[in-house]
Amino acid sequence: MEKYGAMQQPSPTPSTPSTGFMGPRSSPLFSNAVDQPEPPPPTGQDVDRPNSMSSGQDSDQAPPRHLANALDGLGRAVRHIADVRSGADLLLEALDAAAQVRSHGAGNKKPSDRIQKAADAMRIALDALRATGKELEAAGVLNGAQQRFEENGLWNSPVPFVAPDGWLVPYAWKRQIAGQAAATAYERARLALKAFTEQKRRFFPGLAATTTSVTGTKRPRSEGSETTDTAEPSLPDLLRRIQPETQGMVVTPYERLAWVKKSNLKAGMSTTFASRVLTSNSSLSVRHGNAGTPQQPPQAGVDNPTSSTRQAEKIAVLEASIPSVLVAVVSVIPAGSLYPDAVALFSPAEAGGHIQAWGVSQHKLYQRLSEHVTATLHQLLQQDRTSALELLLRWLLSYRTLFTQQCSVCKHVMAYDGPSDLIFPPLVRPTPRATVPLTTKNAKTEESNADNEALAYHLGCVPKGME
Amino acid sequence: MTVKWLYYWQPSIGVTMSSQTLSIAIKRIEALHGVKTSRWQITASQFRPNQREPVPLVECARELLGVVFSEVPDKYYFALRQEHMVVEADATMQAIMEKLQVYRNRLTILFEGFQYELGDFHIKAGRAVLAHTENLRGIVLEVDYKPLSSVEQSRRVVQDFMEVWQKGETTGQFVPLDPNFSEFNLPDLYSWQHTALQYVTLMAFVFSQQRT
C-alpha cells in the first residue's frame, strides 16, 4: 500500500464545476447535458438555449438576482468540492493508519471505524455536490460551460452562442465584436427604421414619406425594367443564377445553427472523411438546408421544394468549396438576404469548430488569404451592396488556380511574402468590377472575365495601379 | 493527409558527399527561421523469400519492400513492385515474419534526422545510412506542405519552394523524387501509402547508387 506522499491542500481557486477534480469530461457528477458528448443534439441544445446570464429577457427573474443566485450556487459548489477533497484526504489518512496498525499487529477495530467515518463524510460531500450541481444545471448556469471551457482552452475563437431567433448574441470576441456586432447593430437599426417608416406612412399619411435607402428592396420593383436583377433579388435566385457559370466551385447554403452543428460535428471526424464530405462532386448542386452529413438530424422540409422560400429566409451561411483547393465560409446577415457580412478561407482538410466566417485557419496561407478576401469584401460592399455577394462568389471562383498558376509579374508560383519569411503562392486576383447589364454586353463581360482570370499576383508583386 | 515530397541530394560533379551537406542544408533552413521540432526516423527494408526448397510450393511475391515510420509506429507498409500494390499491415507483421521465416531481411536502410517547421512547410532533413553501419548513403529532404492534400495541386508549389530555397547552392542540388502513384493505383488524395511508396522508391534508388 503506497504511502500517500505530499498531501494536496484543497486549492483556494475555484475550478469549473463541470470539470471537477476528476478531470474534464469524466466528471460523473453532472448529467449529459452539461458534459460535452459526441452526438450533436445535446450540444445543439446547449447552443440553442441562450445563456440565461447574458440574455436576461428569457429568464423569469430579473437578471441581477439570477446572477446572484448563480454565483451563490457556484460558491456552494466550490465549498462542496473542497469538502470532497478533504474527505479524500481523511479517507487516505484512515487507510494509511489502518495499514500501519495492521503491521504492528494491534486490533483493527478503530481503523475500520475511521475509514467508515471518512467514507461517510466523503459520500455526504459528494451527494451535496451532486445536488448543488443539479440545482445549477436547472438554473441554466452551466449551459455551454464545458463547451466554453474547451473553446477557451484552445486557441480558437469561441463560437458565439446563437439565440433562437437566429441573431448572434453580442457577447462575442475580437473580430466578432468589431465586425459582427456592429453589423448586427446596423442591421437592427436599419430594420427598426424601416418599420418606423412604414408605420409612419400608415398612421400619418399626411407626412411626406422619406425616400431613404432603407426601402432598397422595394424600389427595384417600382422602377420596373431599369434594373436587370430579378424583381426581388433573393439568395436562392442568386445561387441558381451562379450555378451554371461557376464550374468547379460548390456553393452550399446552410442555416446558421446547422452550420454550427456541422462544424462541431466535423471536429470529431477524421480529416479524410471530412474532405470527402466537402468535395462531394464537382458538378454543382445547390442543396437547401443541410448537406449530406450522415448524423445530422433532418430539418423540416429539406427536400420539399414548396417550402424552399421559407428555407431561404433562414439561410445564413454559405459554404463555397473548390475541391482540393479551398473552402470559403461566408456569413450573410440578415439571414436569407444578399448582404455578406464576413468571409474566411480554410484548407479543405481542416475540420473543427473554428471553421466559421469569422474564424481563423490553422495555416498561414489561408490566414493571409482570409485577410485579403475580407478586405476585398468590404471594398465590394462599399461599391455596391446588392451585388457584393455575387461578385464575391465569382471572384472566389478565380482562386481555383491558387496553387497552379504563376504570378504574372515574377513568373513563379511561390515567392516570399514581403517582410515575413513565409512563402506563398500568388494570392491576389483582380477584383471584379460591378456587373454590367447582362442583356447586351454579355459577350464582353465574359471576355474581360477570361482575361482577368489569367492574372494573378503575389502580395509583393502587385502592380502599382491595381490597389 | 498533407502532401510530402522527397528530395535526394545530388552532388555536383567532382564533389563528394559527406555529412557536411546535411549541416549546410540545416543551416539554410534555420536561416529562414525554421523551427526545429523533433527527430524522425524511417526504416526501409528489403525482403526476399527464404528459398530453402528448390521449388517454392506457394506462389509468393519475389520481393517485399517494407517501410515503417516513426510517426505511425503501429503500422507497417509494404510495396510490391511487380504486383503494383501498396499494402498496409499491423506493426506485429515484423514479428510474424521473423517467426515464420518465410521472408528474409536482406538490406535495411535507416533514414533519420530532424524535422523543422518553416511557415506552412514542414521539412524533414536527414541522412540515409545502411542499418547497423555508419555508412552514409545519402542526404534526404522531405517537404510537407501542410495546407494541401492533393498531389497535383501541391506539385508546382513545392517545386517552386525548393527552387527558391536552394538558390545559389553550388556544391549540388536536391533532386525531386517522382514516383508514379497512378501505376500503383494510388489516388490523388495523399495518404501514408503514398509516403511508403516514395520511401521505397528512394531506397531502391539508394541501392542502385551503391552499385555504381
Side-chain angles (χ1 to χ4, degrees):
Chain A
M1 159 106 178
E2 285 174 21
K3 184 161 175 72
Y4 186 57
M7 299 277 203
Q8 287 182 2
Q9 299 299 321
S11 67
T13 57
S15 54
T16 61
S18 58
T19 60
F21 70 100
M22 285 187 262
R25 282 183 178 270
S26 64
S27 164
L29 301 174
F30 302 106
S31 64
N32 282 342
V34 175
D35 259 334
Q36 181 76 340
E38 303 318 310
T43 318
Q45 269 172 25
D46 276 346
V47 174
D48 273 348
R49 259 184 301 170
N51 191 349
S52 41
M53 293 212 293
S54 60
S55 72
Q57 302 109 336
D58 299 350
S59 64
D60 297 330
Q61 306 165 305
R65 177 142 174 238
H66 203 78
L67 188 60
N69 284 346
L71 284 177
D72 189 33
L74 286 173
R76 264 182 288 134
V78 164
R79 262 176 271 129
H80 289 313
I81 290 176
D83 283 350
V84 170
R85 281 203 170 124
S86 56
D89 288 348
L90 280 174
L91 185 59
L92 284 162
E93 255 182 272
L95 287 170
D96 196 22
Q100 283 185 346
V101 163
R102 196 144 23 113
S103 66
H104 290 310
N108 48 4
K109 249 196 178 169
K110 234 175 46 176
S112 76
D113 279 350
R114 275 184 72 184
I115 293 174
Q116 190 63 33
K117 257 189 275 176
D120 281 348
M122 208 160 106
R123 198 174 300 125
I124 292 174
L126 279 172
D127 282 339
L129 183 57
R130 203 175 283 127
T132 318
K134 290 232 167 62
E135 263 180 78
L136 289 174
E137 199 189 302
V141 173
L142 297 169
N143 287 347
Q146 181 70 17
Q147 187 186 22
R148 244 177 309 171
F149 174 79
E150 269 189 319
E151 297 279 4
N152 290 349
L154 315 167
W155 282 100
N156 303 324
S157 55
V159 178
F161 299 106
V162 183
D165 67 350
W167 289 101
L168 300 175
V169 174
Y171 288 92
W173 289 75
K174 299 185 203 170
R175 277 174 71 176
Q176 297 164 26
I177 294 180
Q180 285 282 35
T184 310
Y186 170 72
E187 282 302 324
R188 283 187 191 264
R190 190 179 71 89
L191 288 172
L193 183 59
K194 182 169 156 189
F196 288 149
T197 318
E198 277 176 27
Q199 288 192 2
K200 186 164 83 169
R201 222 182 299 133
R202 228 169 68 196
F203 293 118
F204 303 103
L207 292 176
T210 50
T211 55
T212 60
S213 60
V214 162
T215 53
T217 51
K218 296 236 164 55
R219 293 179 91 222
R221 204 187 288 156
S222 61
E223 286 181 348
S225 56
E226 274 185 35
T227 56
T228 56
D229 295 330
T230 53
E232 213 169 81
S234 69
L235 198 50
D237 286 343
L238 168 66
L239 293 173
R240 255 178 261 131
R241 221 169 348 131
I242 273 205
Q243 185 173 344
E245 301 170 29
T246 52
Q247 291 299 325
M249 184 162 86
V250 182
V251 182
T252 323
Y254 289 92
E255 301 181 15
R256 200 176 292 280
L257 289 182
W259 178 258
V260 168
K261 284 185 206 168
K262 175 169 176 233
S263 56
N264 279 330
L265 171 67
K266 266 205 299 166
M269 295 191 329
S270 69
T271 48
T272 47
F273 184 54
S275 61
R276 237 179 282 146
V277 166
L278 281 177
T279 66
S280 48
N281 45 14
S282 55
S283 68
L284 301 187
S285 52
V286 176
R287 291 161 292 194
H288 291 279
N290 296 331
T293 48
Q295 290 140 1
Q296 282 284 355
Q299 296 272 335
V302 160
D303 297 314
N304 191 355
T306 55
S307 65
S308 61
T309 43
R310 213 183 58 223
Q311 287 293 103
E313 286 165 7
K314 296 206 227 154
I315 295 175
V317 176
L318 289 178
E319 174 208 36
S321 102
I322 305 181
S324 302
V325 177
L326 58 84
V327 168
V329 182
V330 184
S331 158
V332 171
I333 276 189
S337 77
L338 280 181
Y339 306 120
D341 178 65
V343 62
L345 267 62
F346 299 92
S347 162
E350 275 186 82
H354 64 278
I355 301 189
Q356 309 284 345
W358 49 84
V360 176
S361 167
Q362 290 167 339
H363 305 294
K364 304 212 167 34
L365 168 65
Y366 291 102
Q367 286 171 11
R368 185 60 64 94
L369 198 48
S370 294
E371 287 170 11
H372 182 66
V373 171
T374 311
T376 313
L377 168 66
H378 288 299
Q379 251 187 343
L380 290 175
L381 279 174
Q382 273 183 345
Q383 282 173 8
D384 180 4
R385 283 198 79 214
T386 44
S387 59
L389 184 60
E390 182 171 349
L391 288 176
L392 181 73
L393 289 175
R394 286 185 202 275
W395 183 61
L396 280 175
L397 179 65
S398 71
Y399 275 91
R400 63 184 181 277
T401 55
L402 176 62
F403 297 107
T404 48
Q405 188 173 3
Q406 61 189 22
C407 169
S408 307
V409 168
C410 64
K411 304 296 176 215
H412 288 300
V413 173
M414 303 297 275
Y416 283 106
D417 170 49
S420 76
D421 291 323
L422 303 170
I423 300 184
F424 290 139
L427 295 186
V428 181
R429 295 283 188 279
T431 51
R433 304 294 159 211
T435 51
V436 294
L438 292 167
T439 47
T440 50
K441 303 195 187 169
N442 214 349
K444 231 197 238 179
T445 40
E446 282 185 8
E447 271 177 25
S448 60
N449 276 346
D451 277 343
N452 278 347
E453 285 187 5
L455 296 178
Y457 303 99
H458 286 117
L459 278 170
C461 297
V462 175
K464 290 299 174 189
M466 289 243 342
E467 301 306 329
Chain B
M1 204 187 125
T2 56
V3 188
K4 306 183 197 228
W5 288 86
L6 287 190
Y7 283 79
Y8 183 80
W9 176 257
Q10 193 81 37
S12 312
I13 305 175
V15 182
T16 53
M17 180 166 61
S18 66
S19 34
Q20 257 318 85
T21 325
L22 183 59
S23 48
I24 292 175
I26 289 179
K27 256 192 232 120
R28 271 189 162 240
I29 296 176
E30 289 179 348
L32 293 179
H33 305 293
V35 178
K36 186 195 281 202
T37 48
S38 59
R39 285 179 173 273
W40 61 281
Q41 191 185 79
I42 294 176
T43 316
S45 322
Q46 186 194 39
F47 295 92
R48 285 272 156 76
N50 226 347
Q51 304 270 20
R52 274 195 241 119
E53 318 82 56
V55 173
L57 298 164
V58 172
E59 209 181 271
C60 59
R62 285 299 185 80
E63 183 195 47
L64 281 182
L65 299 166
V67 182
V68 68
F69 305 101
S70 59
E71 288 171 356
V72 194
D74 56 344
K75 294 260 186 284
Y76 202 83
Y77 291 87
F78 287 104
L80 295 106
R81 279 192 291 190
Q82 266 74 38
E83 286 82 357
H84 301 291
M85 284 195 325
V86 180
V87 294
E88 176 183 302
D90 198 73
T92 49
M93 192 65 185
Q94 271 184 309
I96 294 175
M97 283 186 25
E98 266 179 54
K99 287 228 171 75
L100 284 181
Q101 287 286 315
V102 182
Y103 282 92
R104 213 152 36 103
N105 183 356
R106 293 304 240 40
L107 290 165
T108 305
I109 294 211
L110 219 64
F111 302 95
E112 60 182 5
F114 289 102
Q115 178 166 341
Y116 293 85
E117 270 180 35
L118 202 65
D120 284 331
F121 292 91
H122 287 223
I123 304 184
K124 290 197 177 75
R127 49 195 195 126
V129 287
L130 205 56
H132 310 304
T133 65
E134 278 307 308
N135 225 335
L136 180 70
R137 289 275 157 230
I139 307 287
V140 160
L141 204 73
E142 181 193 293
V143 181
D144 186 354
Y145 190 49
K146 282 291 176 198
L148 284 180
S149 302
S150 143
V151 174
E152 278 315 305
Q153 292 283 339
S154 61
R155 187 186 294 269
R156 199 67 207 275
V157 169
V158 173
Q159 258 176 19
D160 266 24
F161 168 73
M162 285 304 289
E163 248 181 61
V164 168
W165 184 74
Q166 46 176 0
K167 208 177 349 196
E169 187 62 51
T170 47
T171 50
Q173 54 170 349
F174 277 101
V175 173
L177 195 76
D178 198 3
N180 34 10
F181 293 125
S182 49
E183 209 182 281
F184 282 75
N185 292 326
L186 291 175
D188 188 51
L189 190 68
Y190 199 80
S191 67
W192 281 110
Q193 290 171 328
H194 294 73
T195 320
L197 184 60
Q198 285 177 312
Y199 274 97
V200 151
T201 315
L202 185 59
M203 174 172 75
F205 180 69
V206 164
F207 286 152
S208 67
Q209 284 269 325
Q210 182 187 344
R211 283 187 218 115
T212 54

